[in-house]
Structure formats: structure tokens, C-alpha cells
Amino acid sequence: MAPATNEGFRPDINGLRALSVALVVLFHLGVKGAAGGFVGVDVFFVISGFLMTRIIDEGLDARTFSYAAFVTARATRIGPALAAMLLAWLLFGAFVLPPSELHQLADQAVSAVSFWSNKYFLDRSGYDTDGADGAWFLHTWSLSIEWQFYLLYPLLLKGVSGLRARGDDARAGLGRRVGLGVGLALVGLSLAHSLLQSSARPSAAFFLLPARAWQLAAGGVVHWLAREAAPPRPRSRALASYGGLALVVLSAGWLGLSHVDPVGPGWRSVLPVLGAMSVLWSAHATNVFLSNRVAQSIGRWSYSIYLWHWPLVVASQVTDLSRLHPNPTRALILFGSVFLGWLSFKLVEAPTHRRRAGGGRPSLAWPVGGLVVAGAAALVVSATNGLEHRMPRAANAREVVAARESDYFPDACSNFAKQGRDLRRCPIERDARRRVLVIGDSHAEHLYPWFHAKSAVSVDFFTEAECPPAPHFERMQASLHCLAYTTAAWAAAAEPRYDTIVLSAFWTAIGGNGLSYCHADATGRCTIVHDVEARRALIRQELRTVIRSLLAAGKTVVVLDETPEAPMNVPHRVERERFWFGHVRLTIDKETLRESAWFDELLAELDGTPGFHRVSFRPLLCGERSCQVYDEARARLIYVDESHLDPDWVVRNGGVFAPFVKAPGPAR
């Protein structure tokens, strides 16, 4: 999402950049109707690819292209504003953030200045904008992709430039056609790779250059086509410009209404790319939606707006503003993003532009110097564990790190994102005369420490994180295969060797307004049930049927009701409160349990049925009005994130399952 270049300035491109950054910012703010705004990044990539291809091609044509000068110019565009933003937030963190979080922010800054943040976040949290508390520089992944493209793409085009010759129109024309062919081949190969990855490894398709290069190359294809074809007529220009703009906006709206996950949208990402290509090809300078004064101003500031908006979103989560006052906070972030974007443009970007306009040669001293200073500051902060001396009780930071890295379920047992044929059960071998089966999502997995430590009988865990086992429901995310898992899990529960089935899951995920699921009927047709109450009723019906069938077969069914969910990451919040106030104040309002009241209705209905048992951690966690997240007596966290329990707490308090894992008496 690099800044605009002034070479051959086009107001339509500048306006398209304004639309792109507006889509992204509104998406990150969670504005209703903007859930498809993530396509703004796709549009940015197309614009960047178009402009870079134009610069390289014209330089090669004139025999003036220099790889070093090209890279220097790109660094001059990207580096100063990025360095200023990183340094500002490092300074902010030094005063406001506790050590472990400042340490995390510094590590992210290092990945940003090295233009490796796309791989950094892929290897860690992925792209979770709802739970991105602490992911301060997540948005720099797109800059890393662009920079990686800038380093490789000129070498590719220069490699085919031997077909050019100044003054030889035939060979120059052939060179351009070869360039077009290379661009089309790059689009085809990268797009095919992206579509495959969107299903197999969607996060990699989102974050890594090989699956994103087609969007940048698509912009290059527009440049080559424009050079080869006759200029479009005025009416065609207008039609292509307005039609392309409409395609970008409508595709964003459609993707949002369809609840398409930003990670792994598959072929759907082709639509905004085609729209952006159409606008670029049209070169229609008088599109009223793109050429007006507001769009032109936002377009000029778009790079800096993009740089500043996401840390403001994270800051609002850190301070609870986004939860307590959502709409005023959105307005404040929107205003702050534009204001800081304008300020960054005036104080950082514009001086560089003026120097270039005045004939100054691009130099790496300013951009590289700024990035070196930002990187050095980040390394110092990281080396001192987030300036740990600011917090006398260093154990606080270590406690948070321990919670973050706790391994409450063996990695080898994980079925996350696995296909049906790869699903496996995780055995705890004890007395083989009885065997218990635990099924569910990650809220079943965090029970593993207790069963491993306390069970007298053999237990199999058959779970898949992020897949609440509601029969016949499929999650609308290509990387997950929840329907295959759920079908296999309930089939396993019916096997004669299991006399007891334990069920635990985060039912709010499937019964709420956020994630999208469809319901498969007998024909295999999967229909999205948009109405929340209708979906909840259908889930209860499906679970009622399968649980009653197990009870009728003489099995014991044990269901853990839903664990209270904190409104933010508990370890982060606990450390912040100790840093800010000297003690822990966080609790969970008991009213949040209303989110799972619809599931509790099913449990109440089944209560008293022979063989059915409802168990709960709520009496251990909750008082009359609130639920605890921190054990003051033991000075230890109860939660390792928003809703998963600390393994040590589970081992100490999982006795509610003890009656169901007793060894059978001696044979007579």
C-alpha cells in the first residue's frame, strides 16, 4: 500500500486510491455494510503494479532504467512515513504499554522495517482483525508484499528487455508484446496458486507474495494493453471508468453481505481486481466520484492514512474505548486517521516530493536512515524485554508470556484445518476396560490437562479447534472442514467401545452474529441460515436428536456449559492493569452469559433424562454479578486468552468430571 507516485499524475488513480483506503479503514472500524472493505488492499496492489510497470517500461524504452535508482525511489516513497509512524508508536508504548506488550510491539516494528512482517504475522496470529489486540503493525504486511515485489519484478522485466532497441520500432513492439505475455503468464500462474492456496492454506494465500503477485501483475497487464491497443473513445473511457468503479464498490458490498472471510476469498477477489483494471485502462480523468476535491485530498494522504489508522484501532481496543463507546470511538479513529495522515503527508511525505520536483536526486540516506533509527530503537526495546525496568515486578511479564505459550493440548493431537481422512483421535491410555470420548472444539481441548492428570480410565480426545460440533453445520471458511469433523465425531460417539461421551464447545461462535455457517440437508445442499434465532433453534434440534440417540443406546452423555468469555485478551489486560493501577481490576460481567442462554435452554430441557449430566465451571468462576479471570490467592491467571482456561486451573478444578472417569470395579 505504497504512496502515490507523481510521474504522469492521473487524478482518476489518485481518486481510486482514496476509495481503496476508505474501504480498508471502514472495514477495520467494523462499520455496518463495510465487511467487504478488505478488497481495498487488492485495488491498491493493482494500482501499484500499474505504476511500477509504467516506470520500469518507460525507463527500459529510453535505455535509462537503473535498478538501483528504482529501488532508491521506492524506498524514498515508503521509508520516511513508515519510520516516523513506527518511532511515534514506540515512544507511545514506552509510556503507556507494559513490558511484555512493548516487547511485542518492538518485535513487530523490526519485522516492519525489514519488510518481512507478512511472514511474521503469518507465523503468529494470522489476520484476525476482531482479536487483534496487540497486533499493532499487522497492517504493514501489505507494504512487505509490495517491497518484495519491487525487488523482484524489475529484474524479471529487465530480463526480457533484450528484445528492445532504441529506434527499432519492430523490436520495441515485440518487446512490449513479450512484456504483455510475461504479465499474463505471471497473472495466470499466481492466480492459480492463489486459488489452490485459498483452499489448502488460506493464510499463506493472504500473506505471501506468490499468491498475491497476480494482483500486482494485473496492473502491469493494463499498462501493456494500453500501449498495444488504440486509445479508447471518450464514451468507452467513461463507461469503463464508471463501470469499473461500480464493480469495486458492488463486489465489496456483496462480499460483506455474503460474510466472506477476508482470508481465503478465492475467486471472488478477481472481481475488485477487474474493476480496478477497468478504471486504470479507461484513463478517464473526469470521473466525478474520483476527481472531486475530497477524493483527491484523501488520495494524496492515503498512504499515511493507511499507516496510522490501524494502530489507532488497536489503541482503542487496549483502552476499552471500542467496547464501551463503539460509535464515538469509530468517529474518533476516523478523524484521527485522516488528521494524522494529513499531518504525516505535510511533514514527512511532502518535503520528499518537493525535493524530487526540484530536481534533487533520490538518495537512500533519508529513507534508510529513518528506518535504521526506527529499527535500532525497536531492537533496543526488544533487547531490554520491553524496557522491563519500568515495571519492578518483572514476574508479571513472565506470567503473561507463560500464559501465551502454555501448551494445554498436544500439537500432535490437533485436527485444526485437517481433511476428513486426516482426522485422528488423541488417546490417554489408562484402564482399558472403559473408554471415554471427548468431542468438541478448542473448549474441549483445554480440558485435556485434567483428564491426562486425573482420569482412571482410557480417554480419547477427538476435537477440532474452531469447529463447534453442531451436526450438519459447515463453517463457511475454505481452510476449515467442520462438517467432515462433526460427522466423524458423532459417528465415533456412537461406537460401542465408548460408554461415556463428554461434549464441550464455544457455542457462541456458531450461535452468534459473527461467523458464517451453513446447514446441510439430506441432499447435501448447504444453506446459510442468516436469522440468528432460527439458526439457534436448528442447532438445538440437531443436538437434541443426536444426544437423545446416544442416551437411548445406553450411553452416558456429559455436557459442559459454556465458559464465560472475557471482552479482551486476559493476560494482556491483567499486565496492563498492574502497570497502570498496580493491581488487577478486570472481571467478566455475568451478563455476558446471556450470549449462551439459547444453548442453556437445551441443557435445561435434557436435565433429568437418564444418562444425561450437565456440568459447569461457572460456580467456581462466578459470583452474583461477575466472574473472575485472576486467582488472587495463587497470583495466577485463570484464563490464557479471552475464553480458554489455564491448564493448572483446569487440573485443580476439573473435579466435576471425576464421577465419569472412575475405573470399573473388579470383575466377579
Side-chain angles (χ1 to χ4, degrees):
M1 203 154 295
T5 178
N6 286 330
E7 292 92 341
F9 177 81
R10 280 176 43 180
D12 59 324
I13 294 179
N14 196 46
L16 190 59
R17 293 179 66 85
L19 172 64
S20 302
V21 78
L23 287 171
V24 172
V25 172
L26 294 177
F27 165 63
H28 284 154
L29 289 178
V31 173
K32 188 175 182 179
F38 58 87
V39 304
V41 175
D42 304 341
V43 174
F44 267 114
F45 283 158
V46 178
I47 296 171
S48 185
F50 173 81
L51 295 173
M52 294 311 102
T53 304
R54 186 176 71 181
I55 292 169
I56 297 167
D57 181 46
E58 291 176 354
L60 291 172
D61 248 5
R63 297 280 186 92
T64 59
F65 178 76
S66 164
Y67 180 78
F70 174 83
V71 172
T72 299
R74 303 285 64 78
T76 303
R77 293 290 184 187
I78 295 176
L82 174 62
M85 184 274 294
L86 295 174
L87 284 168
W89 285 105
L90 283 166
L91 182 62
F92 165 85
F95 288 97
V96 175
L97 299 180
S100 73
E101 192 165 0
L102 180 58
H103 190 177
Q104 184 182 12
L105 180 144
D107 287 346
Q108 294 173 24
V110 171
S111 75
V113 299
S114 60
F115 294 103
W116 198 244
S117 59
N118 56 333
K119 188 65 168 61
Y120 175 93
F121 286 105
L122 172 63
D123 292 341
R124 287 164 178 79
S125 58
Y127 191 76
D128 179 9
T129 58
D130 292 326
D133 180 358
W136 292 90
F137 304 134
L138 173 63
H139 63 316
T140 63
W141 70 270
S142 63
L143 299 181
S144 296
I145 282 184
E146 287 194 82
W147 183 254
Q148 293 156 18
F149 182 77
Y150 293 162
L151 293 180
L152 298 174
Y153 188 57
L155 299 177
L156 176 64
L157 295 187
K158 193 170 177 60
V160 300
S161 65
L163 294 171
R164 302 167 184 267
R166 185 186 295 180
D168 187 338
D169 292 339
R171 290 187 68 189
L174 177 61
R176 287 194 294 271
R177 287 191 290 274
V178 171
L180 175 59
V182 169
L184 289 171
L186 185 55
V187 169
L189 291 172
S190 176
L191 178 57
H193 175 71
S194 176
L195 294 176
L196 290 173
Q197 290 286 80
S198 290
S199 177
R201 297 181 62 217
S203 291
F206 184 91
F207 277 113
L208 299 183
L209 177 61
R212 286 286 189 172
W214 72 274
Q215 297 174 331
L216 291 139
V221 167
V222 176
H223 168 77
W224 298 116
L225 287 173
R227 291 203 65 173
E228 284 296 298
R233 296 179 178 179
R235 181 173 295 181
S236 298
R237 286 182 187 271
L239 182 62
S241 180
Y242 286 104
L245 182 63
L247 184 56
V248 170
V249 174
L250 292 176
S251 63
W254 174 63
L255 290 170
L257 292 173
S258 302
H259 303 284
V260 173
D261 197 310
V263 179
W267 63 269
R268 300 170 187 85
S269 59
V270 172
L271 299 177
V273 169
L274 288 175
M277 292 175 71
S278 182
V279 173
L280 294 174
W281 177 79
S282 72
H284 184 55
T286 56
N287 184 318
V288 295
F289 296 108
L290 302 178
S291 61
N292 63 79
R293 182 176 298 179
V294 173
Q296 291 300 296
S297 295
I298 297 298
R300 285 193 299 275
W301 311 333
S302 58
Y303 173 54
S304 285
I305 290 174
Y306 180 77
L307 285 178
W308 282 93
H309 87 282
W310 179 249
L312 291 176
V313 171
V314 177
S316 73
Q317 295 178 354
V318 166
T319 58
D320 273 358
L321 285 174
S322 59
R323 181 174 63 89
L324 299 175
H325 310 286
N327 290 327
T329 301
R330 290 189 183 103
L332 185 62
I333 293 172
L334 186 60
F335 172 79
S337 300
V338 175
F339 174 75
L340 291 173
W342 166 81
L343 194 63
S344 173
F345 177 82
K346 289 290 186 182
L347 299 181
V348 183
E349 290 189 71
T352 304
H353 298 340
R354 286 195 296 269
R355 185 167 181 265
R356 290 285 304 279
R361 291 175 58 83
S363 169
L364 282 175
W366 169 226
V368 171
L371 292 175
V372 166
V373 170
L379 287 171
V380 169
V381 172
S382 181
T384 58
N385 294 318
L387 305 179
E388 194 174 42
H389 66 278
R390 297 173 304 135
M391 195 166 187
R393 290 181 294 177
N396 295 343
R398 289 195 292 270
E399 180 183 73
V400 172
V401 172
R404 187 183 302 130
E405 296 178 351
S406 63
D407 183 14
Y408 56 78
F409 189 69
D411 289 339
C413 295
S414 174
N415 287 317
F416 179 68
K418 288 184 178 178
Q419 300 275 8
R421 63 181 177 273
D422 297 324
L423 295 171
R424 57 161 295 176
R425 304 176 200 187
C426 185
I428 301 172
E429 299 295 346
R430 298 286 191 272
D431 190 324
R433 290 175 295 167
R434 281 195 60 211
R435 201 161 199 95
V436 173
L437 178 68
V438 180
I439 61 175
D441 55 17
S442 59
H443 280 228
E445 293 174 355
H446 72 184
L447 304 177
Y448 181 89
W450 186 87
F451 283 89
H452 187 269
K454 303 291 186 179
S455 177
V457 301
S458 295
V459 181
D460 286 346
F461 272 72
F462 191 25
T463 61
E464 182 169 357
E466 299 199 25
C467 288
H472 304 126
F473 274 85
E474 176 69 291
R475 183 166 170 182
M476 304 296 288
Q477 183 171 334
S479 61
L480 300 176
H481 311 280
C482 293
L483 181 57
Y485 160 70
T486 299
T487 302
W490 288 112
E495 293 175 8
R497 59 174 167 163
Y498 298 115
D499 59 51
T500 301
I501 311 301
V502 177
L503 173 64
S504 178
F506 184 51
W507 299 105
T508 299
I510 190 171
N513 289 308
L515 304 175
S516 182
Y517 291 80
C518 66
H519 180 257
D521 59 22
T523 67
R525 179 185 177 188
C526 211
T527 305
I528 298 178
V529 184
H530 292 290
D531 182 78
V532 172
E533 291 304 322
R535 189 185 333 128
R536 290 173 174 176
L538 192 54
I539 295 168
R540 285 197 299 265
Q541 175 185 318
E542 294 282 11
L543 286 170
R544 183 187 304 114
T545 299
V546 72
I547 290 174
R548 287 194 182 280
S549 70
L550 295 175
L551 295 173
K555 295 179 182 289
T556 297
V557 178
V558 182
V559 181
L560 178 68
D561 58 18
E562 194 159 292
T563 304
E565 183 186 22
M568 73 286 291
N569 182 287
V570 171
H572 283 171
R573 183 62 184 208
V574 164
E575 192 188 16
R576 289 171 195 152
E577 290 187 346
R578 281 177 162 171
F579 184 68
W580 295 340
F581 313 119
H583 61 278
V584 179
R585 306 198 307 185
L586 176 65
T587 59
I588 302 174
D589 190 334
K590 204 171 180 180
E591 285 295 307
T592 61
L593 293 174
R594 291 182 179 273
E595 293 295 322
S596 60
W598 64 275
F599 181 73
D600 292 342
E601 290 178 19
L602 172 65
L603 303 185
E605 179 185 336
L606 293 170
D607 280 340
T609 306
F612 178 81
H613 301 272
R614 172 183 181 173
V615 295
S616 180
F617 286 144
R618 294 177 187 175
L620 300 171
L621 292 169
C622 304
E624 183 178 346
R625 295 184 178 180
S626 64
C627 305
Q628 300 303 307
V629 299
Y630 186 76
D631 187 339
E632 291 284 357
R634 300 185 61 249
R636 186 177 176 98
L637 294 162
I638 296 174
Y639 285 74
V640 297
D641 52 24
E642 291 86 356
S643 61
H644 296 96
L645 298 170
D646 170 55
D648 180 75
W649 190 92
V650 171
V651 171
R652 290 174 174 273
N653 296 280
V656 292
F657 296 105
F660 310 107
V661 292
K662 292 180 179 179
R668 295 182 179 180

